[in-house]
Amino acid sequence: MNDSVFLDNGTFRRVWQRVAGSAAAPDAAQQDTDVLAGRLADCIRAKAAGAAFYMALAQRIRTGRQQLAQIAAQERAHRKALQVEYFLRTGEVCTTPAACPRLGTVAQDLRSAYAQELVLAEQLDAAAAAAQPPLCSRLSAMAQQDRRHAQTVRDLLACVLH
């Protein structure tokens, strides 16, 4: 009974559907889990790219260096938390490709970071809407923090442009 086939819920579900003769489309709960897992994976990749981007940007400027490094640390913490949630739902590790931020001018980079934070906040809100209460509140909190990141980046942009 220690065979990994029996320990894997996905495999068990597929075998049971064949045995029961119901190899039809997955149920609504499974589809919801798949949608949520996809949203979590997108957010994980965005968080990894954001952390690398903020660290690269922090190394280039003096004004706001510490704030950008803090945002990068928060993005890494969010990525790790999202990876845990993804693993709990899918049983798989969501790895991220090596991020190679493409940098332009500081002002362009801050503008891009501002827009990306707002987009990610919306993605997290969408994932929260599909999640159950414990995860829902975590995702909503991350979305709020991303909105604060956007405001911090906006403030830094104001300093850079003046």
Side-chain angles (χ1 to χ4, degrees), residues 1-152:
M1 215 41 179
N2 286 333
D3 188 2
S4 65
V5 170
F6 292 106
L7 298 176
D8 179 15
N9 287 335
T11 302
F12 176 78
R13 197 170 24 259
R14 286 189 301 274
V15 170
W16 181 252
Q17 285 176 342
R18 280 194 310 247
V19 170
S22 61
D27 61 359
Q30 180 64 31
Q31 289 174 346
D32 288 346
T33 299
D34 293 343
V35 168
L36 180 57
R39 288 179 177 164
L40 289 173
D42 290 343
C43 291
I44 289 166
R45 287 187 286 275
K47 291 291 185 179
F53 183 82
Y54 282 120
M55 281 309 298
L57 188 56
Q59 293 171 357
R60 291 180 50 215
I61 66 173
R62 282 197 165 105
T63 303
R65 178 175 289 170
Q66 184 176 7
Q67 291 167 307
L68 292 172
Q70 286 174 340
I71 291 174
Q74 290 169 347
E75 294 291 303
R76 284 190 301 274
H78 286 176
R79 178 189 47 85
K80 288 177 186 178
L82 290 169
Q83 284 178 313
V84 168
E85 294 298 335
Y86 183 87
F87 182 79
L88 289 172
R89 276 164 178 61
T90 66
E92 298 173 4
V93 176
C94 181
T95 58
T96 57
C100 181
R102 195 174 64 181
L103 301 172
T105 67
V106 171
Q108 290 171 333
D109 291 344
L110 290 172
R111 180 178 182 265
S112 175
Y114 174 78
Q116 288 300 311
E117 288 292 351
L118 294 177
V119 167
L120 186 53
E122 293 301 319
Q123 289 176 333
L124 287 164
D125 283 336
Q132 296 298 315
L135 177 57
C136 178
S137 61
R138 282 189 215 113
L139 294 172
S140 293
M142 286 181 192
Q144 279 303 107
Q145 191 165 35
D146 282 347
R147 287 184 183 88
R148 288 190 298 273
H149 290 169
Q151 186 59 48
T152 299

